[in-house]
Amino acid sequence: MQSYHIEKINFASELDQTTQILIDIRKTSDPDVSSSYTNLKTVNVTTTGQLVTPVNFDSMLPNTDYTIRYRDTNNTVIFTEDRKSTTPIVVGDFLDKVFTIMANQQIVTSNETGLLDSYLPEKIGFLYQLKGNFRDILDQFGNFQYTVTDENIGIGFQKWDNEIGIRLTSNVTALYPDQSDSTGNNQASILGPDGTRSYSLGFWFYLTTDELAQTGVDGKLWLWYTGTPARHIGIYMDTTTKYINWVHVKDGTTESIILDHAVIANKWHRVFVRRDGSNPSDSYNNQILMKVDSGYYSPSTATYFSSSTNFAGDVNEKIYLGFGRQDSNGNLIGTSGTYKYFYYRASLTDNNLRERILNPPYPTVIIQDLDGSNSYTVPPYQFITVTNNKVSWVVPHDVPTGNKRWFYKTYSNERTPVNVTIVPFTKVSSTIDINFENESAFESNKNQLVSNFGALHKSWGGYANGGVVGDNIYFQDGKLVLECHGDNYDGNIQGVNRDGTPKVHTIQDDPIYGNDPRYGLPWVRRTGCCIVSNEYLGFGRYLIRTKIPQKLGVAPAWWTFHYEEVYSETPDYELLLAEGLKREGNFNDGYYLVRNHEIDIETPSHLVMGIFNGWLEVESNVIFFDINPQYHIGIQNDTQSSTNNGLWKYNGTGNPNLRTNWTKVSTVINPVYIPSFDNFKCNTWIGETGSGSGWRYKDSTIPDTQNDEVYLANLTPIGQFANDDAFHDYEWRWYKDRVEFYFDGVLKQTNTSFIPDIPGRLTIGPWFPSGTSSNGSYAPWLPDPTKTWAGSPADWNYQKFIVERILFEPYTDTNANGSNRLIGESYPFDGIKTITL
């Protein structure tokens, strides 16, 4: 069973006084009637929304949707919220997750109410926020569509002056609303069935110097358009004068208003149109305005419309938003430019609403001292997501530190402040040496461990594992024990999900395998544990003396980790692209980058960095980088000679594409899922895309000199079996230009590619690589043996990873040949709890 814990209610504004609130719950699938709600809680709530006595809803069925209702004492429903029982929220469960924040951290609040509505214009018409997708955020109209077969050619997101928009190029005929939407989205939506409908319309656009010089169609660069050559309405830029024109054409009659202020290159322009369809001669209501920077421009001479421009709107005519348009002969002259917003309302607006349309306000974040002084406003481009109940934003790099409070401010209200401590990003500057070999100093070392490290509660590496939990951490015989539970574990220590919440077997009605036999029960198998440093460690010497588990199936590992998710809305996106990181995501859902500065030692390991079909493929089709005498590849299906098939080791000199520079060392090529304890992985990362294999196939679209990988997993022979029930020293020495990896004081590997330079938290412990089948070969709750690189199965109950010493010696900038960059993480405190021993 699951439970949902509530400590605070986030009301739209602060309450006037302590108030009594009624809270009850029902299954979302049950009817929304009073008799469906059960487990009534009556609580007192302070003015800030804090519950005087927190409440729990227990006995919730796993993987079930519930609706929680909040009412006042008059039985009036204040609001409801939906929660799934497999993801209970426990406020404050993780160490300092909510109350301590850091620059560059991504803040996500998912329990707001009505936040989006409080800063949008009235929900009449549509508002397309084209900086991230094509969705009408007023939810009145359908999505925009684009006429292009290849989304990588002709359309994309572009940022100018920290404002992101959708860039259309010559390959795009139009960007238009979805005709399948039941609400319309056509010419009739604008003009009305008789052509007399009043409307207000506005949008942002941006033209570079080259784009401003485009010829357009017959001297017109169309910004929006609906209709046919004989009957249309739209806005275009005169490509000679650079003036904006608002035009109506009806059967040979053309009337327009000219905005006699030129469009400026490399500037965002906000165009606003208002038309009184019932009175086309009204000069006040029939107007066009443009805003560049802080100034509004309007026509210097009023121009009136006569009734001859009225014509009935046609449901078959789309609303086009785009640069360029077919001429009377149907020929398209390609043009390009960028849009950010597009707004339409079937009525006239006042000046205040016009400003909100032309410059949509964000739910501003205000950060202040606790007494309300020294306000700092988070810039709008730090926001990633804004909906009515979910907001995500990134803490700016220059945020003031100390004890602060922050809150969302909208046009409607200021939300309840959240008290936080904003800490600077720093790295450890003194030596950490926790040595349990010294039995007389056990208590001191134990206290030092708890002071310097927390317990990690989260999961990764595939669905079929229970992650890592602090319950598996303990001391025995004066040593630190990090226990791991295999496929045969029969105890009751429960694993966790990615977000650290308790994990339950949730798969039922699988089309091939039916129900998980343990469906509904706590997940207890394939669960490890890790300790993680509370502070960030930079360049220096890292040594872990440990006795690793002796059986295959689990990955004992040691690593430093720094992780950022950077989205295209934020200023850092371009900076990370310039660092060589690769774009992830997709066009429709949005793009993002990951900066993952990491160093790993992981064991056991296979050796082969790549398997090729004969030496001819290697010689003609492969580009190698950063390989050394420990580098191995496999050759199979060699048509020149079967004796070439097997495992080959690089000699260390000469062209690696030539067979003469390699030595065959074995006829056996062990795949990734057949590892050995006489090998380990020596990894360096700056991002997470690519294969990490130290080579790539030649690609005619990528220069041979350009490296499109962002991490390297050097698979390295140790020279002996490390699972010999003895303690061994695993060590790396991290410099600005390289990382050296040692085993028992002997240098085994040196990485010189993708060397991180941002400090990370040091993590130590055993975890379970547990990828699941993608082709139905294995039940989804079982690990696929071909995707468990630490070996499969984990055919044992439990094993111990015993730590005798943890040593970190920081390097000076001189010794490291450079300095660390001090940059915060996106989720610096997620999953970290205090170690309880």
Side-chain angles (χ1 to χ4, degrees):
M1 296 296 180
Q2 299 288 306
S3 64
Y4 178 51
H5 182 73
I6 306 173
E7 290 188 1
K8 185 177 181 181
I9 303 174
N10 291 301
F11 295 103
S13 59
E14 190 166 301
L15 302 176
D16 295 331
Q17 59 186 3
T18 298
T19 303
Q20 194 172 77
I21 298 294
L22 310 177
I23 311 175
D24 48 12
I25 189 170
R26 67 174 171 87
K27 289 183 183 178
T28 304
S29 60
D30 291 341
D32 187 7
V33 295
S34 295
S35 58
S36 297
Y37 287 89
T38 62
N39 206 1
L40 176 66
K41 312 285 187 181
T42 302
V43 298
N44 291 320
V45 182
T46 68
T47 57
T48 63
Q50 195 75 30
L51 273 62
V52 175
T53 303
V55 301
N56 280 297
F57 286 109
D58 298 313
S59 302
M60 297 168 69
L61 295 175
N63 199 34
T64 303
D65 293 318
Y66 286 88
T67 296
I68 300 171
R69 180 175 63 173
Y70 298 82
R71 293 174 295 155
D72 60 22
T73 53
N74 295 321
N75 207 33
T76 300
V77 177
I78 305 171
F79 63 88
T80 62
E81 63 172 332
D82 294 330
R83 293 292 174 192
K84 185 177 288 290
S85 59
T86 53
T87 55
I89 294 177
V90 183
V91 178
D93 184 35
F94 292 142
L95 174 66
D96 291 340
K97 180 178 177 181
V98 175
F99 303 109
T100 300
I101 65 176
M102 181 183 295
N104 209 36
Q105 182 174 344
Q106 187 178 147
I107 305 296
V108 180
T109 57
S110 57
N111 51 0
E112 292 293 328
T113 55
L115 189 63
L116 186 67
D117 292 341
S118 66
Y119 84 92
L120 289 173
E122 299 174 32
K123 282 197 169 186
I124 302 175
F126 56 66
L127 175 60
Y128 289 96
Q129 194 169 12
L130 298 173
K131 69 175 187 175
N133 55 52
F134 310 116
R135 181 69 192 170
D136 169 27
I137 59 176
L138 297 180
D139 291 325
Q140 305 292 321
F141 287 77
N143 296 335
F144 261 107
Q145 295 181 333
Y146 51 91
T147 55
V148 60
T149 56
D150 184 351
E151 65 184 32
N152 294 313
I153 302 175
I155 193 165
F157 294 110
Q158 178 67 55
K159 186 182 292 181
W160 304 111
D161 297 332
N162 280 326
E163 300 284 357
I164 194 170
I166 187 71
R167 184 171 185 267
L168 310 180
T169 74
S170 59
N171 295 283
V172 178
T173 304
L175 186 67
Y176 56 87
D178 183 356
Q179 288 296 99
S180 65
D181 186 85
S182 60
T183 58
N185 293 337
N186 47 48
Q187 188 186 79
S189 302
I190 296 283
L191 300 177
D194 60 358
T196 62
R197 175 173 292 165
S198 299
Y199 65 86
S200 304
L201 184 148
F203 54 87
W204 289 41
F205 74 95
Y206 187 104
L207 296 173
T208 65
T209 300
D210 291 340
E211 290 167 346
L212 188 63
Q214 297 170 116
T215 58
V217 180
D218 296 333
K220 300 174 182 178
L221 189 67
W222 287 97
L223 304 179
W224 80 272
Y225 182 102
T226 177
T228 65
R231 291 190 175 198
H232 60 262
I233 174 176
I235 294 176
Y236 69 86
M237 183 191 75
D238 185 307
T239 58
T240 300
T241 64
K242 312 303 180 188
Y243 291 172
I244 295 294
N245 289 249
W246 179 34
V247 64
H248 287 233
V249 174
K250 179 187 178 185
D251 302 331
T253 300
T254 300
E255 296 178 326
S256 67
I257 295 179
I258 301 174
L259 182 58
D260 50 357
H261 293 273
V263 172
I264 305 170
N266 308 312
K267 291 281 189 180
W268 281 103
H269 296 72
R270 306 165 211 182
V271 174
F272 180 83
V273 179
R274 184 167 65 180
R275 188 195 186 216
D276 184 353
S278 63
N279 185 9
S281 63
D282 184 346
S283 61
Y284 176 78
N285 283 320
N286 293 291
Q287 61 175 282
I288 179 170
L289 302 173
M290 181 169 65
K291 185 174 183 180
V292 182
D293 297 328
S294 60
Y296 274 110
Y297 302 135
S298 59
S300 55
T301 303
T303 303
Y304 303 105
F305 286 103
S306 70
S307 60
S308 64
T309 59
N310 280 347
F311 58 90
D314 186 349
V315 296
N316 294 315
E317 291 297 330
K318 304 177 181 68
I319 303 169
Y320 289 93
L321 185 66
F323 296 83
R325 177 66 179 144
Q326 288 181 335
D327 61 19
S328 58
N329 296 319
N331 299 315
L332 175 69
I333 299 178
T335 56
S336 60
T338 306
Y339 282 98
K340 184 182 176 188
Y341 289 100
F342 183 44
Y343 173 81
Y344 161 75
R345 167 190 168 108
S347 61
L348 302 178
T349 61
D350 58 22
N351 290 339
N352 179 60
L353 187 56
R354 178 189 68 200
E355 178 61 25
R356 294 179 67 181
I357 296 166
L358 289 177
N359 189 15
Y362 293 80
T364 307
V365 170
I366 306 295
I367 298 175
Q368 300 174 332
D369 290 343
L370 295 179
D371 62 2
S373 61
N374 298 320
S375 291
Y376 171 95
T377 301
V378 175
Y381 48 72
Q382 296 292 122
F383 282 82
I384 300 171
T385 303
V386 181
T387 67
N388 262 334
N389 55 16
K390 180 180 180 180
V391 187
S392 62
W393 54 281
V394 178
V395 181
H397 293 288
D398 63 349
V399 67
T401 58
N403 293 325
K404 305 289 181 181
R405 68 174 191 173
W406 70 264
F407 54 88
Y408 292 123
K409 181 178 182 181
T410 73
Y411 274 99
S412 303
N413 56 52
E414 294 181 358
R415 298 299 172 101
T416 303
V418 178
N419 289 347
V420 296
T421 299
I422 304 178
V423 297
F425 186 92
T426 59
K427 69 172 185 175
V428 173
S429 59
S430 57
T431 297
I432 298 173
D433 190 358
I434 307 173
N435 191 347
F436 294 107
E437 190 176 18
N438 182 359
E439 296 181 5
S440 63
F442 172 74
E443 287 299 326
S444 173
N445 282 315
K446 178 181 176 181
N447 293 335
Q448 191 178 1
L449 177 79
V450 174
S451 174
N452 283 282
F453 287 86
L456 203 57
H457 284 253
K458 62 192 304 184
S459 70
W460 64 94
Y463 171 79
N465 80 92
V468 294
V469 296
D471 292 334
N472 286 346
I473 302 172
Y474 58 92
F475 285 98
Q476 188 176 59
D477 299 329
K479 303 290 192 295
L480 174 65
V481 177
L482 307 176
E483 188 171 283
C484 47
H485 299 155
D487 292 329
N488 303 330
Y489 177 68
D490 57 1
N492 57 11
I493 293 180
Q494 187 173 5
V496 291
N497 297 300
R498 292 181 66 89
D499 62 357
T501 55
K503 184 170 184 174
V504 174
H505 288 262
T506 59
I507 296 178
Q508 62 175 330
D509 299 328
D510 181 84
I512 300 176
Y513 297 97
N515 289 349
D516 182 343
R518 296 179 59 82
Y519 173 70
L521 297 177
W523 191 292
V524 297
R525 295 171 180 169
R526 302 184 72 83
T527 300
C529 64
C530 289
I531 61 171
V532 56
S533 64
N534 294 327
E535 305 297 332
Y536 290 86
L537 283 59
F539 297 139
R541 178 187 178 215
Y542 297 73
L543 184 147
I544 313 298
R545 181 176 302 145
T546 178
K547 182 190 297 184
I548 65 173
Q550 298 176 50
K551 297 179 181 180
L552 291 172
V554 69
W558 313 257
W559 68 97
T560 54
F561 188 70
H562 169 99
Y563 181 84
E564 298 170 63
E565 287 178 359
V566 179
Y567 292 84
S568 55
E569 289 84 351
T570 60
D572 284 359
Y573 186 80
E574 282 74 23
L575 298 177
L576 268 63
L577 280 176
E579 289 184 13
L581 299 182
K582 309 305 175 186
R583 189 177 67 179
E584 300 184 55
N586 59 66
F587 180 74
N588 287 310
D589 296 332
Y591 293 111
Y592 64 97
L593 298 168
V594 169
R595 178 157 56 188
N596 175 20
H597 278 220
E598 181 177 350
I599 301 170
D600 305 77
I601 290 179
E602 298 176 299
T603 188
S605 175
H606 64 306
L607 275 183
V608 62
M609 299 286 285
I611 300 176
F612 304 98
N613 289 311
W615 272 106
L616 184 60
E617 182 176 47
V618 176
E619 293 168 354
S620 60
N621 203 31
V622 174
I623 298 170
F624 291 98
F625 57 90
D626 194 17
I627 67 174
N628 53 54
Q630 300 288 8
Y631 196 92
H632 294 74
I633 62 172
I635 300 294
Q636 65 181 9
N637 304 324
D638 195 305
T639 57
Q640 295 176 326
S641 174
S642 60
T643 61
N644 288 335
N645 296 330
L647 187 67
W648 293 72
K649 181 180 178 181
Y650 182 53
N651 292 335
T653 58
N655 184 350
N657 292 97
L658 300 180
R659 183 178 57 181
T660 54
N661 293 319
W662 296 77
T663 300
K664 185 176 177 180
V665 295
S666 176
T667 59
V668 178
I669 308 171
N670 282 342
V672 61
Y673 52 88
I674 302 181
S676 174
F677 281 108
D678 60 347
N679 308 313
F680 63 175
K681 295 184 174 186
C682 301
N683 307 331
T684 48
W685 308 62
I686 61 171
E688 62 179 16
T689 58
S691 67
S693 59
W695 63 273
R696 67 172 172 86
Y697 284 113
K698 289 186 177 181
D699 185 335
S700 59
T701 64
I702 303 174
D704 288 356
T705 56
Q706 180 178 323
N707 186 0
D708 58 347
E709 301 276 314
V710 292
Y711 75 96
L712 179 64
N714 260 331
L715 311 179
T716 307
I718 296 175
Q720 70 177 79
F721 286 92
N723 61 331
D724 56 358
D725 197 28
F727 285 98
H728 295 284
D729 288 344
Y730 295 84
E731 179 183 352
W732 69 79
R733 301 176 186 179
W734 179 14
Y735 303 90
K736 178 76 171 180
D737 59 348
R738 70 191 187 279
V739 178
E740 299 171 350
F741 297 89
Y742 296 79
F743 180 83
D744 282 341
V746 178
L747 178 65
K748 297 296 181 180
Q749 184 69 266
T750 302
N751 285 16
T752 58
S753 290
F754 316 119
I755 305 304
D757 66 350
I758 303 174
R761 296 189 191 270
L762 173 63
T763 306
I764 305 167
W767 66 281
F768 288 85
S770 303
T772 53
S773 175
S774 57
N775 58 11
S777 300
Y778 299 91
W781 53 85
L782 298 175
D784 184 338
T786 66
K787 297 181 179 180
T788 51
W789 57 259
S792 182
D795 191 15
W796 34 269
N797 186 321
Y798 69 93
Q799 294 195 82
K800 298 177 182 179
F801 176 116
I802 304 174
V803 178
E804 189 170 68
R805 189 183 187 191
I806 303 171
L807 171 67
F808 167 67
E809 295 176 340
Y811 290 158
T812 65
D813 290 352
T814 300
N815 291 338
N817 301 320
S819 57
N820 286 119
R821 287 185 293 168
L822 302 182
I823 301 172
E825 295 188 275
S826 295
Y827 312 106
F829 307 109
D830 276 12
I832 304 176
K833 287 186 176 182
T834 301
I835 295 177
T836 303
L837 299 169

